Amino acid sequence: MDSLDLEVLKTAAGWIAAGHRCELVTVVKTWGSSPRPIGATLAVRGDGRVIGSVSGGCIEDDLIENVRAKGISPDARPHIVSYGISADDAHRFGLPCGGTIELAVEPLHAGSGLPELLQRLEGGELLERRLDLNSGAVTLGPAAPGAVLRVENESLHTVHGPRWRLIIIGAGPLSRFLAQVASGMDYRVSVCDPREEYRADWNLPGVELLHAMPDDVVIEARLDARSAVVALTHDPKLDDLALMEALKSDAFYVGAIGSRLNNAKRRERLKLFDLTDAELDRLHGPIGLYIGSKTPAEIAIAILAEMTAIKNGVPAAMLVPHAAAPQPAGTAACTV
């Protein structure tokens, strides 16, 4: 699955290759409430066709109207525009709570470098695209660790590629749902399973399938603060060593499936590997937020909901993880 912004780039590249003129619009700054985050993109073709979103619809209408009325000049240069500065504009463009949004509008052309950008993204690279706001010239290069969108020295720097990594241990049905949704959320997903019988029917485009021991995969991945590891096999021989390595890393999220009892036993086993209490406290298990999930698809949503909350810095007091969910009398412990 492609993220919306990657689909914008692909569509815009196709339009340019077919001889159409189009503009790429990128959210570069917001104040107050904004429907779309910084870095969100939209492409508008010369005839008014559009893909992507920068506001949810209201500002898009104005951008389309401008293109239809004025066209896109072959000599046009990138420029920055703002919407919603006044109360009247906020009302006109539907920005909630008087929010303001700043956009970079870039007329695209053959020299915009979209084919090279897309080819390198296909190879899994994390790239920084530098747009000279005076000339429209574009350069591409590797993105530095922690690079974010910014405007400096009359240049717009945007970051493209898999901003987050997810290693899934186990290639079962739950892994398939988790990998599919995570791929659409800007994760570069790798599924690791040394068991041939589980890998035999795996076919999920865009998801890397690894035949190796999970702890080796985790070590070689050099996990950073943009990485997550989720163990889904229920097999201590596969999960425990990988979890040990992940808990000692900078990964922002480490979780394992299993009941409360099984997770308590897992923690006791991990203590034998000389993990500190602080490292053990980083383990999420039973995994996921409590949403009453039962099916593999629902459990995948619960896991990604918890991962997203942790990634976005939501305070623990606002979350109800499965580990803290109330258990009705007479029911088995949660197995998520």
Side-chain angles (χ1 to χ4, degrees):
M1 296 171 64
D2 288 330
S3 69
L4 176 59
D5 295 320
L6 180 57
E7 193 62 32
V8 169
L9 295 176
K10 288 182 176 180
T11 302
W15 288 343
I16 296 299
H20 296 282
R21 299 197 187 282
C22 66
E23 293 179 337
L24 180 66
V25 183
T26 304
V27 178
V28 297
K29 190 178 291 187
T30 62
W31 296 267
S33 298
S34 175
R36 294 284 283 144
I38 291 173
T41 57
L42 163 84
V44 186
R45 206 168 77 174
D47 59 2
R49 286 189 61 179
V50 64
I51 183 169
S53 175
V54 293
S55 76
C58 41
I59 292 175
E60 284 83 346
D61 292 342
D62 191 64
L63 292 167
I64 294 168
E65 182 180 335
N66 285 337
V67 166
R68 285 176 169 164
K70 303 174 183 177
I72 302 173
S73 169
D75 300 320
R77 292 289 178 263
H79 57 282
I80 304 291
V81 297
S82 295
Y83 287 89
I85 293 177
S86 68
D88 288 343
D89 282 345
H91 177 72
R92 175 188 172 196
F93 295 113
L95 290 170
C97 304
T100 302
I101 188 170
E102 193 171 86
L103 307 173
V105 180
E106 175 191 358
L108 294 173
H109 48 80
S112 297
L114 294 190
E116 180 187 354
L117 174 61
L118 290 168
Q119 182 180 23
R120 295 176 68 174
L121 290 178
E122 191 71 24
E125 292 187 60
L126 181 63
L127 299 169
E128 181 168 288
R129 182 176 184 265
R130 178 184 176 275
L131 170 68
D132 188 311
L133 294 172
N134 293 317
S135 68
V138 170
T139 56
L140 290 176
V148 295
L149 183 148
R150 65 196 186 281
V151 178
E152 61 181 24
N153 300 325
E154 299 298 316
S155 296
L156 171 64
H157 300 255
T158 53
V159 181
H160 305 268
R163 290 168 173 78
W164 306 93
R165 290 189 297 171
L166 171 61
I167 295 176
I168 301 173
I169 301 171
L174 173 55
S175 302
R176 185 178 299 274
F177 285 107
L178 186 63
Q180 285 179 311
V181 181
S183 295
M185 293 175 65
D186 245 0
Y187 284 88
R188 181 179 181 180
V189 182
S190 299
V191 174
C192 170
D193 202 321
R195 302 169 298 180
E196 184 176 355
E197 62 272 22
Y198 281 85
R199 299 193 319 274
D201 295 324
W202 183 275
N203 181 22
L204 199 59
V207 174
E208 182 182 33
L209 181 62
L210 302 173
H211 176 201
M213 289 303 294
D215 54 317
D216 292 334
V217 170
V218 170
I219 292 171
E220 292 173 6
R222 299 174 182 261
L223 303 176
D224 57 19
R226 293 172 177 264
S227 304
V229 176
V230 174
L232 301 179
T233 73
H234 289 286
D235 186 342
K237 297 189 299 296
L238 298 178
D239 291 346
D240 285 6
L241 290 178
L243 290 170
M244 175 191 71
E245 298 296 343
L247 291 169
K248 293 190 294 185
S249 75
D250 293 328
F252 77 90
Y253 183 92
V254 181
I257 200 168
S259 67
R260 295 180 183 182
L261 176 60
N262 285 339
N263 271 282
K265 292 179 178 179
R266 176 183 290 116
R267 292 173 189 272
E268 291 300 319
R269 292 194 304 269
L270 289 174
K271 284 183 181 180
L272 301 177
F273 294 115
D274 295 326
L275 289 174
T276 67
D277 289 340
E279 289 168 339
L280 284 171
D281 286 344
R282 298 183 59 230
L283 178 62
H284 295 270
I287 199 171
L289 293 186
Y290 179 67
I291 59 172
S293 51
K294 300 293 184 183
T295 66
E298 291 176 345
I299 294 171
I301 295 298
I303 293 169
L304 283 167
E306 185 173 54
M307 284 175 54
T308 302
I310 301 300
K311 175 173 70 72
N312 292 342
V314 176
M318 297 179 64
L319 306 178
V320 182
H322 265 288
Q327 293 295 304
T331 62
C334 174
T335 60
V336 177

